[in-house]
């Protein structure tokens, strides 16, 4: 395996990775490659492009950029959606094995895992991922060779922060495979492979692409065997990405650091104001000094992200807030330049332990005053709802 050079700062990698080879008159950006098949007549050699479901030069620049950002020794694997990448990782849990997942992680991951567990015949255990002792106890209760620990931190939508270094290390010590969903943090804020995680998955749809105009996913690993298995899942199930979507994602990726910088600054300000708002019951944001995840996030992340959650007293009030905003857009998803707001329990499959009045904010890059004034007015107007 060739060792990658990770000497450049991520801000530089975002801009320089995946560019075409330089020569006089060459393009600065990769082209959109639109071939579904590739010339060849002899025995098939999978190190060459053969057919667009196996690999295509349309994916290569983005896959190389992701690998550099996540510090993966092998190229990233782009998928047709975040959930497709998650499904490929879930396929690694063998029949009779155990999957340990955060009780509040992305509801699509929970739903998918529950369904696959039943079909494939493995145990599916959920844990409070912020409770390190409880997770370690769960790790001790399983047969290590057939177990997978799934980490999402901060969690969606409760913003709980796992002790990621401690959990990965505990899983490694026991020979348990770890998968980290790094969608919320992005490789700018944490690089789980450096801590010993086996696989990182992403909903590229969110911060990496950053403009709410594509649905894409990715998986990264430095392990040759896992890479082969994930690649095979992608090729055989066919959950592949379109060339134009991948091109757009690479274009979006170029500005990740400046988008994140502004979005995080806005999120910090809004979380701080929400935390003293008379009509807000609770605010969760790891950047708030009083937040249960603050100390951990400060120690292990290089920023607090741009998702904030807060609770109104009732579901009706939360719905009224989402209906009253004008600068914010009431919509699901996160990580785009525009600010979104959603009452998560409007989705019937969201876990019941998520409060009915919880609103998840994906804070974008608009002016903070406009965001705050709009949200404050909506909260005040909804208070009597
Ligand atoms: C943390 C997280 N992981 C994975 C996904 C799934 O990604 P996609 O919608 O791209 O399939 C989401 C979607 O909201 C998410 O929030």
């Amino acid at each position: 395996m060739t060792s990658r050079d990770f000497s450049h700062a991520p801000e530089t990698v975002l801009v320089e990775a995946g560019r075409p080879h330089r020569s006089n008159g060459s393009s600065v950006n990769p082209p959109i490659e639109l071939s579904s098949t590739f010339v060849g007549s002899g025995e098939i050699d999978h190190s060459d492009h053969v057919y667009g479901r196996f690999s295509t030069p349309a994916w290569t620049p983005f896959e190389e950029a992701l690998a550099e950002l996540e510090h993966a020794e092998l190229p990233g694997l782009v998928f047709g959606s975040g959930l497709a990448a998650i499904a490929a990782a879930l396929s690694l849990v063998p029949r009779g094995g155990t999957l340990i997942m955060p009780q509040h992680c992305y509801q699509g991951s929970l739903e998918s895992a529950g369904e696959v567990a039943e079909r494939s015949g493995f145990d599916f255990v959920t844990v409070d991922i912020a409770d390190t002792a409880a997770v370690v106890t769960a790790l001790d209760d399983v047969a290590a060779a057939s177990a997978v620990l799934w980490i999402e931190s901060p969690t969606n939508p409760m913003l709980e922060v796992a002790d990621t270094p401690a959990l990965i290390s505990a899983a490694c010590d026991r020979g348990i495979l770890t998968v980290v969903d790094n969608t919320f943090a992005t490789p700018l804020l944490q690089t789980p492979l450096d801590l010993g995680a086996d696989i990182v998955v992403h909903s590229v749809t969110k911060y990496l692409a950053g403009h709410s105009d594509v649905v894409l996913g990715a998986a990264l690993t430095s392990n040759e065997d896992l890479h082969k298995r994930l690649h095979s899942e992608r090729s055989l199930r066919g959950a592949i990405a379109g060339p134009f979507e991948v091109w757009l994602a690479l274009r979006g990726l170029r500005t990740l650091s400046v988008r994140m910088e502004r979005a995080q600054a806005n999120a910090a300000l809004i979380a701080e104001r929400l935390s003293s708002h008379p009509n807000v019951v609770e605010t969760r944001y790891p950047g708030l000094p009083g937040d249960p995840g603050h100390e951990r996030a400060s120690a292990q992340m290089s920023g607090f992200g741009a998702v904030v959650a807060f609770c109104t007293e009732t579901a009706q009030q939360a719905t009224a807030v989402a209906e009253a905003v004008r600068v914010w857009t009431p919509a699901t998803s996160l990580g785009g330049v525009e600010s979104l707001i959603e009452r998560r329990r409007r989705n019937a499959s969201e876990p019941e332990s998520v409060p009915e009045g919880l609103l998840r904010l994906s804070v974008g890059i608009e002016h903070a005053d406009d965001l705050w004034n709009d949200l404050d007015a909506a909260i005040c107007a909804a208070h009597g709802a």
Side-chain angles (χ1 to χ4, degrees), residues 81-84 86 106 109 152 156 181 183-184 202-206 215-217 333-334 360:
S81 68
L83 208 52
I86 287 166
Y106 171 55
S109 305
E152 192 182 288
N156 181 5
D181 184 330
T183 299
F184 269 37
H202 275 284
S203 170
V204 172
T205 314
K206 309 299 191 306
V215 175
L216 274 186
S333 199
L334 55 107
R360 185 186 69 192

Side-chain angles (χ1 to χ4, degrees), residues 195-343:
L195 301 171
D198 296 290
I199 296 170
V200 162
V201 291
H202 275 284
S203 170
V204 172
T205 314
K206 309 299 191 306
Y207 289 102
L208 299 182
H211 295 77
S212 305
D213 50 10
V214 295
V215 175
L216 274 186
L220 295 115
T221 181
S222 295
N223 178 303
E224 302 252 12
D225 176 53
L226 293 174
H227 194 271
K228 256 193 214 136
R229 291 165 72 188
L230 293 168
H231 188 282
S232 162
E233 270 301 303
R234 183 178 68 179
S235 300
L236 295 178
R237 312 282 163 242
I240 59 160
F244 186 51
E245 283 77 3
V246 178
W247 188 89
L248 276 175
L250 182 62
R251 182 184 158 119
L253 191 69
R254 302 291 185 212
T255 54
L256 177 64
S257 69
V258 284
R259 285 187 281 110
M260 258 300 185
E261 207 173 293
R262 167 72 84 92
Q264 287 191 109
N266 283 351
L269 186 134
I270 283 160
E272 200 253 315
R273 291 184 182 174
L274 282 171
S275 67
S276 57
H277 198 290
N279 303 340
V280 169
V281 178
E282 191 189 357
T283 306
R284 287 299 302 264
Y285 178 63
L288 286 173
D291 189 89
H294 182 67
E295 225 171 280
R296 257 182 210 164
S298 307
Q300 70 196 31
M301 297 170 71
S302 47
F304 301 109
V307 181
V308 176
F310 73 98
C311 296
T312 56
E313 259 167 51
T314 64
Q316 289 75 8
Q317 285 173 359
T319 302
V321 173
E323 282 170 353
V325 286
R326 291 292 170 266
V327 178
W328 299 74
T329 302
T332 195
S333 199
L334 55 107
V337 290
E338 69 292 317
S339 294
L340 304 181
I341 182 167
E342 184 184 31
R343 185 177 84 82

